[in-house]
Amino acid sequence: MLHSLNTDIQAPERFTYPFCYEPHPLCVMAAKEVQAYIGIHAEIREDADKGKMFGVLVVEHEGGLAYLAAYSGLLAGRNDWDYFVPPVYDAQQPDGHFKTTEREISLTTHHSPLIAKKMSQDLQLWLFHQYQLLNARGEVKDLVDIWQSYYSRPKLRQKFPLPPSGTGDCCAPKLLQYAYQQVLKPVCMAEFWWGATTKEEIRQHLNYYPACRGKCKPILTWMLEGLEVDPNPELLGFAHLDPKTVYEDEYIVVLDKPSGLLSTPGRIEDYSVETLMRQRYPEAVIAHRLDMGTSGLLIVAKTLEAYRPLQEQFIKHQVKKKYVAKVEDGRCKKEEVRGTISLPLRPDPMNRPRQMVDLEHGKRAVTDYEFLSDDLVALYPQTGRTHQLRIHCAHPDGLGRPIVGDELYGTKGDRLMLHASEIWFTHPVTHQEMHLASSPPFVDSEI
């Protein structure tokens, strides 16, 4: 399970911050070896092709640098592949307590569903206690203790009383647990996706991704104690960019927001369009929002009196918006040059801020589209869900072509190639019909 790395590449000074990182060259090297291994093992590749997260952990040992490999959950129904580290706890043993009790619950369900439900809850709690997780100092906590220590405040404890099912079976906890057990020093870590984008997971083949926050944030916070870890890049602040004024009168301002600037203050960063506008106009309110990575037109009301009629127009879907996006190569055919995408969305609780398609519980999300060229598409949202345009472009039931530079649903780049290029609305005070435009900065010619 320990695979040597023959290289002159220097190890990093600190361990990877797993929730926001650029993969270190050592991890890239290790990942390529894992990818080659998957490619030549048919049974593994066949299951991985359906979509699976893999991870690598570079470690120091007596012979120098080496790496460990892992996969999330089960691989081809197994968790005992020789090339990969074992699970933190193996619940798949046919004669073990977990599988034996599962069979008892299945038999009980038919005649005593309430008893079966209680047995299932007890079994899940028992399983959580079996996950005895180490940190870099050699200390041990089980999954329940880790979870309740992380969510220690009463309100949070009430909201997150126990871990979700499957917690502890992701790549990162498996890798660190095995390294600590074998007295190996962790150097750097990365996770990549192999295979198809699924309807649940909008991921791109061989792209690197951060550890999931919903299941892994409490665990890794514990397991990394005692290691010197890179600082969270999200806490280092962002460039203080300035928006350009496209239109202004005594009631409203329409700005051209650059990519990389928040519309409103974030959880960490206060600098935003709204804070800038309030320095000039104390009552200023943003009438709508654009993602930080999205550039383009943004309406600001200078007063509450101007804001309320604008808000009503947005609520009633009376504001029309056109976005232009540059999309990756994909399957779109000429006969699909225009159309409508309807895929309901909801937040992904395990991977915030990601959103996901949910046909049963998601909120209505509709986008009209029209291709302007092979890789440029005009998007006209009928609704305004979070990440709607990004998912409707990336999802296999949408365009199947992620927006260039979309690190959540596509491939990370210099910027998200999405621009709010035109907007139509009624002036909140003069009632004049307004139409404003801004050319996408990533397009050379007029469109």
Side-chain angles (χ1 to χ4, degrees):
M1 295 178 188
L2 189 63
H3 314 286
S4 295
L5 276 176
N6 299 313
T7 178
D8 295 328
I9 297 173
Q10 293 296 308
E13 294 181 2
R14 297 181 295 269
F15 189 70
T16 313
Y17 179 75
F19 303 103
C20 185
Y21 65 90
E22 289 290 337
H24 190 274
L26 287 169
C27 286
V28 174
M29 182 180 181
K32 287 181 178 178
E33 291 194 14
V34 176
Q35 291 157 11
Y37 181 88
I38 297 168
I40 62 174
H41 289 78
E43 187 179 0
I44 291 175
R45 187 182 67 247
E46 182 179 353
D47 189 58
D49 283 347
K50 300 171 187 174
K52 174 69 67 176
M53 193 72 78
F54 291 84
V56 292
L57 173 66
V58 177
V59 296
E60 287 182 3
H61 69 118
E62 292 178 356
L65 290 177
Y67 72 89
L68 304 168
Y71 49 85
S72 62
L74 300 175
L75 182 59
R78 292 170 49 185
N79 61 12
D80 58 353
W81 295 97
D82 291 340
Y83 187 84
F84 300 96
V85 300
V88 175
Y89 178 77
D90 187 0
Q92 299 300 312
Q93 295 299 316
D95 299 325
H97 176 73
F98 186 81
K99 285 296 182 183
T100 301
T101 308
E102 262 194 340
R103 291 191 289 271
E104 291 175 6
I105 293 170
S106 182
L107 293 172
T108 306
T109 299
H110 300 292
H111 55 83
S112 301
L114 291 178
I115 293 175
K117 182 178 179 181
K118 178 64 166 59
M119 291 174 65
S120 180
Q121 291 172 341
D122 291 344
L123 180 62
Q124 185 65 74
L125 184 60
W126 175 87
L127 181 62
F128 288 150
H129 285 301
Q130 308 316 303
Y131 282 73
Q132 301 284 322
L133 292 151
L134 290 157
N135 67 15
R137 291 193 288 262
E139 300 165 334
V140 181
K141 275 188 179 183
D142 72 38
L143 200 49
V144 175
D145 286 342
I146 290 171
W147 204 260
Q148 294 185 347
S149 296
Y150 186 83
Y151 294 112
S152 57
R153 290 189 294 171
K155 284 187 177 180
L156 287 175
R157 177 76 64 85
Q158 187 176 8
K159 188 176 181 180
F160 306 105
L162 289 172
S165 177
T167 300
D169 293 324
C170 296
C171 298
K174 289 182 179 181
L175 290 166
L176 288 169
Q177 182 80 351
Y178 187 80
Y180 293 151
Q181 289 172 338
Q182 303 303 315
V183 198
L184 302 168
K185 181 184 177 183
V187 173
C188 53
M189 182 167 63
E191 298 182 48
F192 66 88
W193 181 261
W194 176 287
T197 284
T198 69
K199 293 185 179 181
E200 294 76 29
E201 294 273 8
I202 304 178
R203 309 278 190 179
Q204 307 304 319
H205 182 54
L206 303 186
N207 276 11
Y208 292 93
Y209 291 94
C212 69
R213 293 176 183 264
K215 293 180 180 180
C216 288
K217 189 73 182 288
I219 298 176
L220 297 184
T221 298
W222 162 254
M223 297 189 81
L224 294 176
E225 287 188 14
L227 278 184
E228 189 175 359
V229 180
D230 282 337
N232 178 358
E234 296 174 339
L235 297 177
L236 300 179
F238 305 99
H240 285 197
L241 306 170
D242 291 319
K244 183 174 67 175
T245 300
V246 174
Y247 172 87
E248 182 171 8
D249 61 29
E250 58 186 302
Y251 308 106
I252 64 171
V253 185
V254 181
L255 301 170
D256 194 340
K257 184 186 85 67
S259 175
L261 176 61
L262 290 168
S263 296
T264 58
R267 182 173 54 88
I268 297 165
E269 177 65 59
D270 184 64
Y271 189 86
S272 66
V273 172
E274 187 167 83
T275 52
L276 283 172
M277 288 296 99
R278 285 189 173 172
Q279 290 172 6
R280 302 180 197 173
Y281 317 107
E283 294 185 356
V285 183
I286 302 291
H288 57 117
R289 298 185 187 188
L290 298 175
D291 287 349
M292 185 175 75
T294 304
S295 57
L297 298 173
L298 192 62
I299 307 171
V300 180
K302 291 185 176 180
T303 65
L304 283 174
E305 288 71 25
Y307 168 70
R308 292 189 183 104
L310 283 171
Q311 184 185 41
E312 186 176 359
Q313 289 182 56
F314 278 99
I315 291 172
K316 293 181 177 179
H317 305 292
Q318 295 170 340
V319 178
K320 182 181 177 183
K321 292 178 282 184
K322 174 185 174 181
Y323 292 76
V324 173
K326 186 173 184 179
V327 292
E328 297 179 10
D329 292 338
R331 63 166 177 79
C332 194
K333 301 173 184 177
K334 286 185 178 179
E335 59 264 33
E336 297 171 324
V337 69
R338 62 177 59 84
T340 299
I341 301 165
S342 181
L343 293 171
L345 304 176
R346 69 170 175 85
D348 181 349
M350 294 298 105
N351 287 291
R352 294 182 182 277
R354 292 174 64 93
Q355 307 290 304
M356 62 190 298
V357 171
D358 188 332
L359 300 179
E360 186 178 355
H361 302 293
K363 292 184 178 180
R364 179 175 176 268
V366 181
T367 304
D368 298 321
Y369 71 89
E370 178 182 12
F371 272 87
L372 307 172
S373 67
D374 290 341
D375 62 355
L376 284 179
V377 60
L379 302 164
Y380 303 91
Q382 295 184 27
T383 53
R385 307 299 176 201
T386 302
H387 297 176
Q388 174 178 318
L389 302 182
R390 297 165 69 174
I391 292 181
H392 282 183
C393 286
H395 197 274
D397 290 338
L399 296 183
R401 301 180 63 177
I403 297 173
V404 173
D406 189 345
E407 62 181 316
L408 289 181
Y409 309 106
T411 303
K412 188 174 182 178
D414 293 335
R415 61 152 291 177
L416 178 68
M417 299 293 191
L418 178 63
H419 183 79
S421 64
E422 295 184 57
I423 193 164
W424 294 260
F425 64 99
T426 302
H427 193 285
V429 179
T430 68
H431 307 297
Q432 178 185 353
E433 295 303 315
M434 307 290 291
H435 173 215
L436 297 165
S438 164
S439 297
F442 47 82
V443 178
D444 294 332
S445 57
E446 292 292 328
I447 54 172

